Amino acid sequence: MPKRSSPHVAILGFSIECNKFAPVATKVHFLARTYLEGDAIIEDARAATPRMLPETPGFVAAMDASGAWTPVGVALAMTEPNGPVEHAFFVELLGTIEQRLRAALPVDAVYICSHGAALTTEEDDPDGVLFTRIREIVGPDVPIAATLDLHANVSERMVGSVDAFIGYRTNPHLDMRERGAEAAAAIREMLAGVKPQRAFIRLPIVPPTVTLLTAAGPYAEMIDLGQRRMSPEIMNVSAMGGFAFADAPECGLSVVVTARHDKRAAETLASEIAELGWANRARFYPRLTPLDEAVAKALAVVRDPSLPALAFADVADNPGGGGRGNTVFLLRAFYEAGVEGALLGVFFDPDLASEAHRQGIGARFDAHFNRAETTNFSEPYSALATVAALTDGRCVGRRGIYAGLLLELGPCAALKVDGITVVVVSHRVQCADPVFFEMMGLDIGQARSVVVKSRGHFRGGFDEFFGPGQIVEVDLPGLTSPMLNRFSWTRLPRPVIPLDEGVDWQLPLGDTATI
């Protein structure tokens, strides 16, 4: 078929990060966050404040700016990190995508917005299943570009089914829109005749989440090396950290290099980056602050106003990794120690938020946290609280990963529990944006301690208040604890660092590293 002057490009996606230890994700979770079909995908991508994450808006904007094209919306499903997806919904989504894509044929290219760390209740690699199905539908010659979170667990069939594999390069994820634009540029190149080659290597390292920041550290050095080795021959370098809590065979630190023509160039660069990661393997071990030390630090900044304020990251209860956002360990410890001038957010408890709305601003009542929660680590806790503020939870992200996105957190309340003000939300989300406090009228700049239920994305939102030296990552129980030896693994590849001793690895030779 001759090439059209306005290429038809299908747009679709399935984006969720799945924690095997968290409750199952259902269709309801996707409908509540982002589930779009057909032209609604394009409309939201072009909206001033889209609901979807920024990759697809970045892709659409770049395609719009680079020439004529006809976008073909297929289906896009994304939601907050959770447990494995109910398999029946994944099958339904796969059927919807196939039906709509076949109806749109012929298409000239496909863009897939994926996360890459999905699970279903029956499948370890649903991203690979989706990518393979798309390739089967459009055939071997239609260009496919995919963007993925750098926490993707990469499988051979994921890499083998696409032409351009594009992972995020920043953690906190501040480059999602740029990666979407990069996918658009790759599509344009492939439509002009470029046929990329890819190399893929996975290491026996399953990095704890707190070792995957990209400002500094062993992972940052891998990404930096890849970017310094960019050349006219190399289209993309993606160093993928993986997501341990998926507990899947595909977990692990991996490197995917996409070359424009030369397979050997992709292999050589992938090998160099993988060897650097392996040389730095001893640095992929977490270092956290014990709870008693965290409490002492919070008390110290209250007693001495000359000390800088601190941000305490509850990394073990990160909704951005499947945590419930409702463990009370830091709240209870700070309250019992008499910590003053503290903010804590955001605490996921729809029942408590609803009760606060019934009580009204100024009401003083016994706040029962987690009265209906049964998930592991989500212990009940009661304290006398005063309702300081109420909102409907509708806001637009101001900074970091949520900047410019329309967010709906449901009924929200700010509860003052002695010296701690707790922001309670009805829709689970990680505390990565200052707007979650500011929408309640709370002044972060006046707080002495700010507790955030987030692993790392808060760094991109709260950096105007807290530099790296003001952040305390606290060692607590939870579904997203970076202390991986506390979990019972069943599918994770073994042996791996940091769980096992005497792990050995040799660089794959020749085509074994290439897709």
Side-chain angles (χ1 to χ4, degrees), residues 367-380:
H368 298 285
F369 295 85
N370 293 330
R371 70 188 75 184
E373 183 61 62
T374 59
T375 307
N376 196 20
F377 306 116
S378 301
E379 300 176 359

Side-chain angles (χ1 to χ4, degrees), residues 273-299:
I273 298 168
E275 287 180 317
L276 175 63
W278 183 246
N280 283 329
R281 58 192 179 277
R283 298 168 65 191
F284 286 102
Y285 288 80
R287 297 180 181 178
L288 304 178
T289 300
L291 179 58
D292 58 347
E293 292 183 22
V295 171
K297 289 176 181 289
L299 290 171

Side-chain angles (χ1 to χ4, degrees), residues 422-452:
V422 183
V423 175
V424 183
V425 300
S426 294
H427 295 165
R428 189 174 57 88
V429 65
Q430 68 172 304
C431 191
D433 195 311
V435 74
F436 298 153
F437 292 111
E438 294 164 349
M439 69 179 182
M440 312 299 303
L442 301 172
D443 188 345
I444 297 169
Q446 295 300 310
R448 299 302 295 147
S449 296
V450 177
V451 177
V452 290

Side-chain angles (χ1 to χ4, degrees), residues 200-204 255 264 267-276 278 504-510 512-513:
F200 166 45
I201 300 174
R202 185 188 299 119
L203 293 158
V255 182
R264 185 58 184 161
E267 291 175 344
T268 300
L269 182 51
S271 297
E272 184 180 3
I273 298 168
E275 287 180 317
L276 175 63
W278 183 246
D504 194 19
W505 176 76
Q506 298 293 325
L507 184 68
L509 298 177
T512 59

Side-chain angles (χ1 to χ4, degrees), residues 63-131:
M63 290 297 294
D64 286 344
S66 59
W69 73 304
T70 301
V72 180
V74 180
L76 174 66
M78 56 176 53
T79 191
E80 298 295 328
N82 218 317
V85 176
E86 190 174 48
H87 191 69
F89 169 66
F90 176 69
V91 171
E92 175 189 328
L93 175 65
L94 205 60
T96 299
I97 289 173
E98 178 164 1
Q99 179 184 14
R100 283 184 163 274
L101 184 55
R102 288 193 184 279
L105 294 178
V107 296
D108 299 288
V110 179
Y111 167 62
I112 304 174
C113 177
S114 179
H115 183 287
L119 302 169
T120 80
T121 50
E122 298 180 23
E123 173 61 54
D124 283 335
D125 182 25
D127 295 284
V129 172
L130 172 63
F131 288 17

